[in-house]
Amino acid sequence: MEIFVGYGNYTIALATMIGIYSIMALGLNIQWGLTGLFNLGIAGFFAVGAYASAILTTSETPKHIGGFDLPVVLAWPLAMIAAAFIAWAVARICIRLRADYLAIATIGIGEILRLIFKNEQWATGGTRGISNISRPFEQLPGIWAPLAFLGVVLILAMVAYWLAERGRTSPWGRVVQAIRDNEPAARAAGKNVETFRIQGFVIGSAFMGLAGALTAHYFKFVGPEATDPLQVTFLVWVMLIVGGNGSNRGAMLGAAVIWTMWSASELFSSRLSGDWAHRAPFVRLFLVGLILQIMLQYFPDGLMPRQRQITARLPRKPTIDQPQSSHILPPF
Amino acid sequence: MKDIVVPQSKAAPPGTGLSIKGISKSFGGLRAVDNCSFDVKRGSITGLIGPNGAGKTTLFSIITGFLSPDCGRITLDDVDVTRLAPHDLFHRGLVRTFQIPHEFSKLSVLENLMVVPANQPGENPITAWLRPGLVREREEQVFQEARNTLAFLGLEKVCDLPAGNLSGGQRKLVELGRAMMSGAGTVLLDEPGAGVNPTLLAQLSQMIMRLNSERGTTFCIIEHNMDMITSLCDTVVVMSSGSVLTQGHMSQIKKDDRVLAAYLGSSAVRALQ
Ligand SMILES: Nc1ncnc2c1ncn2[C@@H]1O[C@H](COP(=O)(O)OP(=O)(O)O)[C@@H](O)[C@H]1O
Ligand SMILES: [Mg+2]
């Protein structure tokens, strides 16, 4: 019986983190897969969401600002808005940069945000972070508590998927993918490239902010280490590339595969003994890097390559119904 | 086909058309466009010819807002449009095609065309999420327009292929198709005939003529195919080394020794004579 509870808890924890990382991978897919924006500051937007929700939901304490005591149904959307707002401010400045320069700029932004959270002790609790964050349904007995929270995460992940997928197959998704493929042609087609890019960046970052908020409530704690760029940013990128850049289902599958491996590698590395034990952190990263290498060699498009048809299916008339081409004047 | 929806033609209001006044542009030390002035009258089909490197494409890029001129003025129906962004000019009914096809390589051919039309409510992400009915209604119109345009261009068979997989000539047609989907009143075509087979080229000329006479669409066409220019254009502007050499009717242009000299080099012309 004991052992089943143990496995059950482990599986629930695994699924919860997969759900949270799916939301981030979907956000990155909107930014990179669809809009072609190279964001290496994922951890920063994740942290904004995590701290925003933590500050908004905790009770009055001298350790950090707060005392708002908001319920999560308000705090989570506000956390998304906070991440979206930061993304908007960043995008206003950086969005015209070429992909590689944008990557460098976003590394910088992520690092600035991390240093702010680490050093502005009055607001964020500094290195001690923010604890005593409530987790929805934690008062339920036994295994029901994590199970109910998992349910919330999975529902939100499905909503995120639905939004991402409807976005991808909509005229909006068509335009951002056109911009990714050929920016001058998109300009020639009358599209305001900057506006669409900012939208893609902001929407993707809002997803990352939600994932941050969920993580803070799941661990009931957020601190500078919990938003480690190496782990968060690196893992989400690997998830998207392994799952299939450009594909929302691929992003979710990638999150499941990579988080399972990451988690399993922890089990493995925690059994390392003696000299090897302190090498565990980089051994884990090395393993993930190895998986990425193998994937890129054998499945360069990921496990689930981008779906070719982006436009939501419209009724195709049989060709007999097609007008004789010489009789109609196309719609100039 | 009663369900063809023709976008409001922006060509309808009579105006003076496109006017280029004293445009210059240098790249480093190279004066690619040098004090160019000419008019593309509303309702005309104007040819723009000249040897390679004359600055024709650069001039198109300046007119459509892709490059900013060093000096000079561009007006569209007497409104100053110098230095406006390409998307602003698009909404004022001025579009261009690219000499080297610029397709959206991972989008299907159909989607390449469906991107173009203006007034698509689904281009707003909030509307796309919350108002699927509204989005779908417009999608169906845009879809029909794109299908009709592809049928005209003979690209129905490849409509679901990624545009990046097409041949050079087919990509050229997609380029043209996107211009056709714009509903613009003034269209700048950069070598539309290059790499397109002769049969289709004849159809293309016919289509340009019909659009011009039935819809009043104004064209400015860069083209090396002189038969096409002769049959289509009322006025021909000849550019050489960045400046306008001469302009007029093709019959006069053909007699002009300076034009021949620009194409062949003056020594070759002397040798011929
Ligand atoms: N972006 C650029 N940078 C530097 N030189 C350019 C650029 N674009 C065009 N040029 C030069 O300007 C001149 C005119 O080019 P172009 O307008 O393409 O000529 P055309 O279309 O008449 O063949 C050429 O000498 C070309 O090399
Ligand atoms: Mg050219």
Side-chain angles (χ1 to χ4, degrees), chain A residues 4-226:
Chain A
F4 285 117
V5 173
Y7 279 129
N9 275 329
Y10 180 73
T11 311
I12 292 168
L14 193 71
T16 306
M17 289 312 287
I18 288 172
I20 290 171
Y21 269 90
S22 299
I23 295 171
M24 271 196 282
L26 287 168
L28 182 63
N29 189 42
I30 291 171
Q31 292 179 340
W32 172 242
L34 304 184
T35 321
L37 300 170
F38 207 120
N39 182 3
L40 284 179
I42 299 169
F45 299 104
F46 172 87
V48 169
Y51 275 98
S53 191
I55 289 167
L56 289 170
T57 53
T58 43
S59 315
E60 185 79 64
T61 159
K63 292 179 196 147
H64 56 82
I65 55 165
F68 300 100
D69 269 324
L70 288 185
V72 292
V73 287
L74 284 178
W76 289 354
L78 287 172
M80 292 176 78
I81 290 170
F85 175 76
I86 301 282
W88 176 81
V90 168
R92 283 300 305 274
I93 303 165
C94 300
I95 213 75
R96 283 194 186 81
L97 298 178
R98 252 173 42 196
D100 39 359
Y101 295 133
L102 183 65
I104 295 166
T106 51
I107 293 179
I109 308 278
E111 197 57 18
I112 290 167
L113 288 170
R114 193 180 66 82
L115 289 174
I116 290 173
F117 292 128
K118 190 171 169 187
N119 292 309
E120 297 298 324
Q121 194 162 354
W122 59 274
T124 63
T127 46
R128 276 174 295 136
I130 297 176
S131 44
N132 292 329
I133 304 170
S134 64
R135 184 201 288 175
F137 302 114
E138 61 188 330
Q139 66 285 5
L140 290 181
I143 205 162
W144 293 108
L147 209 53
F149 188 76
L150 170 64
V152 171
V153 168
L154 291 185
I155 287 167
L156 288 173
M158 288 324 292
V159 171
Y161 171 77
W162 182 86
L163 287 173
E165 191 60 10
R166 178 163 270 186
R168 185 184 70 84
T169 56
S170 73
W172 180 81
R174 196 163 57 208
V175 173
V176 294
Q177 290 176 81
I179 291 170
R180 173 203 64 201
D181 280 0
N182 197 319
E183 189 189 318
R187 289 189 194 281
K191 308 307 173 199
N192 188 338
V193 169
E194 275 77 35
T195 304
F196 284 100
R197 281 208 170 132
I198 291 174
Q199 287 170 350
F201 196 70
V202 165
I203 294 169
S205 299
F207 279 36
M208 292 162 188
L210 174 63
L214 291 174
T215 309
H217 289 267
Y218 181 53
F219 291 130
K220 303 168 64 63
F221 169 78
V222 58
E225 281 75 45

Side-chain angles (χ1 to χ4, degrees), chain B residues 52-53 56-58 99 190-191 222 224:
Chain B
N52 288 319
K56 307 181 295 294
T57 298
T58 306
Q99 178 177 354
D190 199 343
E191 305 197 12
I222 298 177
H224 287 303

Side-chain angles (χ1 to χ4, degrees), chain B residues 48-62:
Chain B
L48 181 58
I49 65 170
N52 288 319
K56 307 181 295 294
T57 298
T58 306
L59 190 59
F60 266 20
S61 298
I62 293 169

Side-chain angles (χ1 to χ4, degrees), chain A residues 163 166 171-172 174 178 181-182 184-185 188 190-192 196 310-311 314-317 325-326 329-332, chain B residues 3 90-91 102 104-106 111 114-115 120 122-123 128-129 139 143 149 151 160 180 183 187 210-211 214-215:
Chain A
L163 287 173
R166 178 163 270 186
W172 180 81
R174 196 163 57 208
D181 280 0
N182 197 319
K191 308 307 173 199
N192 188 338
F196 284 100
I310 64 165
T311 300
L314 288 161
R316 297 285 157 114
K317 295 237 168 85
S325 58
S326 54
L329 198 56
F332 231 107
Chain B
D3 53 348
F90 178 97
H91 294 291
H102 277 43
F104 305 123
S105 48
K106 296 202 182 78
E111 286 157 354
M114 288 180 72
V115 166
Q120 298 198 48
E123 284 184 2
W129 284 328
E139 274 293 88
F143 174 75
T149 308
D160 286 330
M180 290 168 61
V187 180
R210 277 182 64 191
L211 287 165
E214 293 171 29
R215 294 262 164 75

